[in-house]
Amino acid sequence: METQDAREAAFVKARLRMVEIQILQRGVTSQSILDAFRKVPRHLFVPQEDQAEAYDDYPIPIGFGQTISQPYIAALMTEKAQLKTEDSVLEVGTGSGYQAAILSRLCKKIDTVERIPALGKQAQKMLSELGFDNVFVHIADGTGGWPDAAPYDAILVTAGSPSVPPPLQLQLKNGGRLIIPVGGSWHQELQLWIKTENDFEMETIIPVAFVPLLGKWGWAGERYRNEKD
Ligand code: SAM
């Protein structure tokens, strides 16, 4: 039977290979980002029965119809956010907590919002156990952002939205970056919005396929907007 040490060594090997082939060779070259992906144990953020696939080149189901994003897409979003060590960052769509763990190694403080309570609680538990103590998980509709800690240097939305939720634009600092998949409910384009003095600059990055952002300013917005605040 495989020993625990051999199992851990296999995960480390798979993780280094993931960084080299899926991330570095596709053009994400920032050393600090590559190091974060080399250090965070992605297999602990997927269901136990799927751990052997944790470092493969695709998203993995995490329950409740949700997924942990493909490693390359998580790395690309991190790079496009142009993060600095003093930044405070908002993530919308905590999911497994993996992207938040990556951000935790690169920035000062991360607020991350998840609408499914069981996922948020599980993510917070894993992040705390692993010592990512600058990450704060909130259970809420993240299409409204997290105004208590705004404004942010960067906002990453890890679910696909029909349009950019206005509260997220409002919660960016001047010079702040918003990365968000915008488009249909299953296929979108990844967009980078940068807040300037009086306006926004927008750049499209690549086509992506995220699960839907559900909420007042996302999909099914009419239903949520008709509810009393
Ligand atoms: N970043 C995650 C990770 O590293 O595992 C992956 C996120 S998964 C692709 C998208 C997540 O967005 C799901 O967990 C989903 O429940 C969540 N979500 C969808 N709509 C949301 C909303 N309005 N507010 C907060 N979270 C939302």
Side-chain angles (χ1 to χ4, degrees):
M1 216 176 91
E2 199 181 24
T3 65
Q4 187 60 22
D5 284 355
R7 215 171 124 73
E8 283 307 316
F11 283 133
V12 172
K13 196 170 163 201
R15 187 153 68 241
L16 297 181
R17 205 177 138 78
M18 170 193 87
V19 171
E20 187 66 29
I21 294 173
Q22 299 173 37
I23 300 179
L24 179 59
Q25 287 185 18
R26 287 183 182 144
V28 176
T29 55
S30 150
Q31 276 313 321
S32 57
I33 294 178
L34 296 173
D35 278 348
F37 279 84
R38 285 185 186 112
K39 297 269 164 55
V40 175
R42 180 173 164 94
H43 61 282
L44 298 181
F45 291 88
V46 306
Q48 207 156 12
E49 61 275 19
D50 297 322
Q51 285 192 344
E53 290 177 59
Y55 297 99
D56 291 350
D57 196 10
Y58 42 77
I60 295 175
I62 53 172
F64 305 92
Q66 307 303 322
T67 54
I68 177 174
S69 306
Q70 182 189 5
Y72 170 64
I73 296 297
L76 185 64
M77 291 178 78
T78 308
E79 184 187 54
K80 293 292 177 185
Q82 304 162 42
L83 301 171
K84 293 179 270 321
T85 48
E86 284 306 299
D87 281 358
S88 70
V89 176
L90 173 67
E91 180 195 26
V92 178
T94 313
S96 67
Y98 176 69
Q99 175 82 69
I102 295 288
L103 297 172
S104 156
R105 296 192 63 97
L106 299 165
C107 308
K108 188 169 178 186
K109 182 184 170 231
I110 320 300
D111 286 288
T112 178
V113 185
E114 173 56 54
R115 65 177 282 276
I116 300 176
L119 278 181
K121 281 185 197 139
Q122 190 176 307
Q124 180 71 80
K125 184 166 178 283
M126 184 51 70
L127 288 161
S128 302
E129 277 174 24
L130 295 174
F132 293 104
D133 49 20
N134 60 344
V135 180
F136 301 90
V137 180
H138 310 284
I139 308 297
D141 173 6
T143 64
W146 189 253
D148 293 7
Y152 299 97
D153 298 285
I155 300 177
L156 281 78
V157 182
T158 64
S161 186
S163 56
V164 178
L168 301 185
Q169 289 188 320
L170 286 172
Q171 290 173 29
L172 271 186
K173 289 182 188 171
N174 272 345
R177 290 82 58 199
L178 166 65
I179 317 286
I180 180 167
V182 176
S185 46
W186 295 102
H187 290 93
Q188 312 87 24
E189 65 177 18
L190 195 57
Q191 298 181 347
L192 164 65
W193 293 76
I194 300 181
K195 190 168 189 165
T196 60
E197 195 89 354
N198 305 310
D199 203 359
F200 286 88
E201 287 166 6
M202 196 275 275
E203 177 192 316
T204 63
I205 305 170
I206 51 163
V208 285
F210 276 85
V211 294
L213 182 75
L214 297 175
K216 183 170 180 177
W217 300 103
W219 291 100
E222 317 75 55
R223 173 152 60 90
Y224 291 88
R225 278 195 290 273
N226 288 335
E227 286 174 8
K228 285 213 178 328
D229 284 323

